[in-house]
Amino acid sequence: MLRIEGLTKTYKTGDKALSDVSFEAPQGQVIGLIGPSGAGKSTLIRCINRLVEPSSGAVWLNDINLAALRTGELRRARRRIGMIFQEYALVERLTVMENVLSGRLGYVGFWRSFTRRYPGADIANAYRLLDRVGLMAHADKRADALSGGQRQRVGIARALAQDPELLLIDEPTASLDPKTSRQIMRLIVEICRERTLPAIINIHDVVLAQQFSDRIIGLQSGRMVFDGPPSGLTEAVLTQIYGEEDWTAMRKGASDEADAEAEEKAQTEQMLRAL
Amino acid sequence: MSAAYPTTWRKPPQMIQSRGWRIALAIGAIAYLVLAIGSVEINWTRVIAGMERAQRFVAGFLQPDFTTRWRDISNGLMESLTMTFTSTVVGVLISIPIGVGAARNVAPQWVYYICRSIIAISRALQEIIVAIFFVALFGFGAFAGFLTLTFATIGFIGKLLAEDIEDIDEAQAEAIRATGASWLQLINYAIQPQVMPRLIGLSLYRLDINFRESAVIGIVGAGGIGAALNTSLSRYEYSSAGAILLIIIAIVMVSEYSSGYLRKWVK
Amino acid sequence: MSIASADPPIWQHRTPRKRLLLWVGWLACVALFVWCWERMTQRTIWAFVWDAPNAAADIGSRAFPPRWSYMERLWGPLWDTINIATLGTLLGIAMAVPLAFLAASNTTPSRWILRPLALFIIVASRSINSLIWALLLVSILGPGILAGILAIALRSIGFIGKLLYEAIEETDISQVEAITATGASQAQILTYGIVPQVLPAFYGISVFRWDINIRESAILGLVGAGGIGAQLNASLNTLAWPQVSLIILVILGTVVVSEWVSAKVRHAVI
Ligand SMILES: Nc1ncnc2c1ncn2[C@@H]1O[C@H](COP(=O)(O)OP(=O)(O)O)[C@@H](O)[C@H]1O
Ligand SMILES: [Mg+2]
C-alpha cells in the first residue's frame, strides 16, 4: 500500500511543482492522475521512486519511507516499483528480450547482467510476460524495430519483470494513436486486476482516464483539487482543474494546430512550385 | 511457474551472422596482435635511461621557461598565426569554386571529375610530405608553410562543401531552375543561402586545424613555431619546449572556445 | 513572382546598422589579411619563389620513373607503419574511453575535479600533433616504433575522447532514467543505459581515427619514430628522388586502402 504525506517539490529554478500533496492508494486500485500540462503530474510520480528528489514530505510504501532512504536502500526499494514511460524509454539498441530482462537488474549482480547470464527463472518469466503482452515472436528483435504500440508493450513487460508492488505510469498513451491507446490502457488495467497491483497513471486524456481508472485525482498548479470516483468528474470540476478554458476545446485545439501546420507546409510547397 | 517457457536465452549475434566467420575473425585478430606486438622491439636500457629525461620534461612542462628563447618563440608564433590566417582565407576562397565543381548535382561531368581529383590528391597527401616538397621548391620559411596549409585547406573544405551542396533541398533548387534562371543565379539563390552558414562554420574549424598544423610543418623547415620547438627539443631544453607546448595548447583552447561562440553568433 | 523574392529572409531582416557592422567586419578582415601577408612574407626570398617552376620540373624529371626495385626494402617498414597505427589506436582507445566517461557531464563522478582534469588532458592531446608527440618521445625513449606507437596513442586520446564524451552527453536521458528506475546499480546503468547508445558512435570514431593514424604513422619516421617515414627521410637526405617517388606512391596506396576499409567498416556498423 502506498501513502503520500505532504509531498512538496520546488525545482532549483524556483518552480513550485508540487505543494503539500497527500493521498493513499490501497491494494489493486488504479488511480488516474489528471491535470493540465505543467500541473506537476510527472513530478509527482517521479518523486515516488525519486527520479526527482522531493523537497519535503513522506512517501510510505509498506511502512518504508522512500523519501528518507539512502542510496543502497533506495535501489532495493526501486526494484519493486515498476515504471512505464510516455516515450517508452526502451534501450533502443538492445533486443526486446534484453529490455525485458533489464527489469531484473536490481536483482542480479553486475557480472551476470553484463554477460547476459540471467537466472533461468528470470528468463522463463520474461518469456511468459512477452507472451502475456503478445510479443512472443519478437523476443530477438531490436527494440527500435518495433512499432509504438509494441514498444509500449515491451515497456509494460519490463516493468512487470521487476515483480512490482506498485506501478507508476507516465502518460502511457501520449505518443500512440487512439485505437492503440485504448488497447494499451486496457492491457495495463487488466494486469493490475490480475495481480491486484496499485497503479498511478498520468493521463492527459480525460475520457481515457474516466473510462479506465477506479479513482481520479486532479492536479492543478501542483495542488490536489479533486479526489474521487470517475463519475464525480463534472463539468464544474473539470473547469476547476483545467482552468477557465473549456476542457473539451483543449484537445480540439491541439488537432487544429496540427492541421494548421500541415496546411502551412502545403502552402509553402505550392508557392515554391509557382516561383 | 509454468515449465512451458524456455529457461535459457542467448543474444543473437549482432554483426556477423555466421559462426564460422566470427571464429575466423577472432583468430585472425589474435594472430595479428601477437605478431604485431612481437615485432615491437624495446630497448629497455634506453627506456630506463629515458625516464630521467621524461622527469625533466615533466618538470619543464610544469615550470615552463618563456624568457630564454622568447625571441625564437615570438617570431615563430607570429609566423604561425599569420600563416594560419592567410592560408585559411586563400584556401577557402579557392575551395569554393572547387567545391561547387565537385558537387554532382550542379557541375557538368568533366568539371566534376577534375575537381574531385584535385580534392582527392589534396586529401591523400599528408601535410608534412607536401611541406617537404614546397620547402624544396620555394625555399625555407613561412611562404612554403602558407602554400602547404592552403593546399590542405582546399581538400578539406572542398570535399565537405561539395557534400553539403549535394545534400541541399532539391525542391528549392528545382523551384529556381523552373524560373529559367541561369547557372550562376541558381548557385546564388538556391545553393548559397543553404550552405553559407555551414561554410562559415567549416572555415572556422579549419582555421583551428591550420594553426595546429602550422606548429608541425616547421619541423621540416616550413616556418612557424614548430621550428622553435624542434630546436629546443633537439637541444634537450625541456623547459622552453614546455613553454611552447603550453602556448600551443592555450591558443587552441582559446580558438576552440571563440570559434564555438562565433559559430553560434553566425547561426 | 520575381527572382528577387527568392532572397533568403536573412538578408531582408538586416537593419542598416547591422549591415554597416557587417561591412566594417569584412573590411577589418581584409585589412588583417593584408597585414598578415606582409608580416608572413617579410623574410621570403622571392627569387626562390619565381624559380619554383624550374625546380619542380627538375625534381620531377629526376623522380620518374620510380625505382621499383627498392620496393623489397619497403615491406618491413610498411608492416611497422601499419602496426604503429593499429597498436597506437588500440592503446589510445584504452586510455580515451575512461577519460570520456570522466569528461561527460552526465557520467562524471566528480564535476569540479576529475571533469576539468579530463577535459584538459583531452584538449592537450588534441592540440599537439602526433609528429610533435613523436619528436618528444624519441627524445625521451630513443628512436624506434615504440615511440611511434605511443605518439599515435597520445594523439588519439584527445580525438576519441572528445568525440566519445560528446556522444555520451547526447545520449537519451529517458533510457537512462528507465534503467535507474528498475533499481540498477551505477555500473549497470552505465552498461545498459549508456553503452548501447554510444556503441555505434564508438566504433565509427575508432575506425575513423585508425584511418587517420595510418596516414600519420607513415611520416613519423621523419623524426625517428619508425615506419616507412624513416626510409623517406633517408631517401630525401641522399636526394634519391626515384626512391622518394616510390615511397610516396606506396604511402598513397596504403592511405587509399585504409580509407576504403574504414568506409566499409563504418558502413557495416552504422
Ligand atoms: N527538471 C525541471 N527543472 C525545473 N522545473 C521543472 C523541471 N521539470 C518540471 N519542471 C516544472 O515543474 C512543473 C510541473 O512539471 P511536470 O511535473 O512535468 O508537469 P506535467 O507532467 O503535469 O505536465 C512545470 O512548471 C515545469 O516547468
Ligand atoms: Mg508530464
Side-chain angles (χ1 to χ4, degrees), chain C:
Chain C
M1 237 181 254
S2 73
I3 296 270
S5 65
D7 262 9
I10 195 171
W11 298 97
Q12 293 167 354
H13 282 324
R14 289 218 169 109
T15 59
R17 203 171 138 244
K18 237 181 164 175
R19 214 174 303 171
L20 185 73
L21 256 166
L22 206 70
W23 274 108
V24 172
W26 279 117
L27 211 66
C29 271
V30 172
L32 183 65
F33 179 83
V34 172
W35 182 79
C36 283
W37 181 264
E38 289 296 324
R39 280 294 304 236
M40 186 188 74
T41 52
Q42 244 170 24
R43 289 191 291 170
T44 304
I45 302 167
W46 291 102
F48 276 138
V49 175
W50 303 132
D51 192 41
N54 292 333
D58 184 40
I59 292 178
S61 69
R62 285 186 217 196
F64 282 93
R67 196 180 141 207
W68 299 108
S69 60
Y70 189 60
M71 192 63 215
E72 63 192 52
R73 302 259 303 274
L74 290 182
W75 292 116
L78 191 59
W79 165 251
D80 281 347
T81 299
I82 292 169
N83 290 343
I84 290 174
T86 310
L87 296 179
T89 310
L90 290 176
L91 203 59
I93 290 171
M95 293 187 277
V97 168
L99 264 182
F101 280 97
L102 292 182
S105 55
N106 50 345
T107 55
T108 184
S110 119
R111 190 166 288 272
W112 299 112
I113 302 165
L114 288 178
R115 179 160 195 261
L117 191 70
L119 286 175
F120 178 76
I121 294 175
I122 288 174
V123 174
S125 153
R126 262 162 46 72
S127 318
I128 300 173
N129 193 289
S130 54
L131 200 65
I132 298 180
W133 281 118
L135 209 58
L136 202 67
L137 286 161
V138 167
S139 133
I140 291 173
L141 298 173
I145 77 174
L146 180 64
I149 292 172
L150 290 179
I152 292 289
L154 287 174
R155 173 67 181 83
S156 302
I157 291 176
F159 182 89
I160 298 173
K162 178 176 155 81
L163 291 177
L164 193 58
Y165 96 73
E166 285 172 355
I168 295 172
E169 285 184 346
E170 275 167 23
T171 49
D172 175 13
I173 175 92
S174 73
Q175 298 183 30
V176 179
E177 279 181 340
I179 298 293
T180 311
T182 66
S185 65
Q186 283 300 320
Q188 287 172 326
I189 294 171
L190 220 59
T191 52
Y192 270 71
I194 292 182
V195 169
Q197 290 193 58
V198 297
L199 213 52
F202 169 75
Y203 288 134
I205 295 164
S206 304
V207 175
F208 189 58
R209 186 66 220 181
W210 174 78
D211 179 19
I212 299 175
N213 283 345
I214 290 271
R215 288 157 202 253
E216 304 218 324
S217 62
I219 49 145
L220 293 183
L222 287 174
V223 297
I228 202 167
Q231 257 65 20
L232 181 63
N233 201 24
S235 305
L236 280 170
N237 286 341
T238 55
L239 297 177
W241 293 106
Q243 293 180 22
V244 171
S245 60
L246 178 69
I247 293 171
I248 286 176
L249 283 180
V250 169
I251 291 179
L252 281 183
T254 319
V255 166
V256 169
V257 171
S258 79
E259 189 159 327
W260 181 81
V261 171
S262 108
K264 277 273 167 225
V265 172
R266 267 194 302 166
H267 188 77
V269 173
I270 301 163

Side-chain angles (χ1 to χ4, degrees), chain B residues 32 39 46 50 53 57 78-79 123 126 128 133 137-138 146 189 212-213 216 229 233 238 253 256, chain C residues 3 7 37 39 43 52 56 83 86 123 126 129 132 136 139-142 215 219 222 248 252 259:
Chain B
Y32 169 75
S39 70
R46 180 68 181 76
R53 280 198 198 144
F57 172 73
M78 193 40 106
E79 264 182 9
R123 278 166 44 78
Q126 183 67 56
I128 294 290
F133 276 93
L137 295 180
F138 296 90
F146 158 76
Y189 289 106
R212 278 183 270 159
E213 290 296 330
V216 190
L229 185 64
L233 277 176
Y238 288 130
M253 277 172 90
E256 199 150 283
Chain C
I3 296 270
D7 262 9
W37 181 264
R39 280 294 304 236
R43 289 191 291 170
N83 290 343
T86 310
V123 174
R126 262 162 46 72
N129 193 289
I132 298 180
L136 202 67
S139 133
I140 291 173
L141 298 173
R215 288 157 202 253
I219 49 145
L222 287 174
I248 286 176
L252 281 183
E259 189 159 327

Side-chain angles (χ1 to χ4, degrees), chain B residues 145-158:
Chain B
F146 158 76
L147 289 177
T148 307
L149 295 180
T150 305
F151 185 70
T153 305
I154 292 171
F156 180 87
I157 303 269

Side-chain angles (χ1 to χ4, degrees), chain A residues 19-23 215 217-220 222-227:
Chain A
S19 34
D20 196 22
V21 172
S22 307
F23 65 90
R215 171 181 169 194
I217 289 178
L219 275 188
Q220 210 257 319
R223 286 173 200 287
M224 268 173 70
V225 290
F226 176 81
D227 183 0

Side-chain angles (χ1 to χ4, degrees), chain A residues 199-220:
Chain A
I200 301 178
I201 311 185
N202 285 353
I203 326 187
H204 211 71
D205 188 325
V206 177
V207 182
L208 271 185
Q210 240 169 339
Q211 185 180 349
F212 288 102
S213 24
D214 304 326
R215 171 181 169 194
I216 299 280
I217 289 178
L219 275 188
Q220 210 257 319

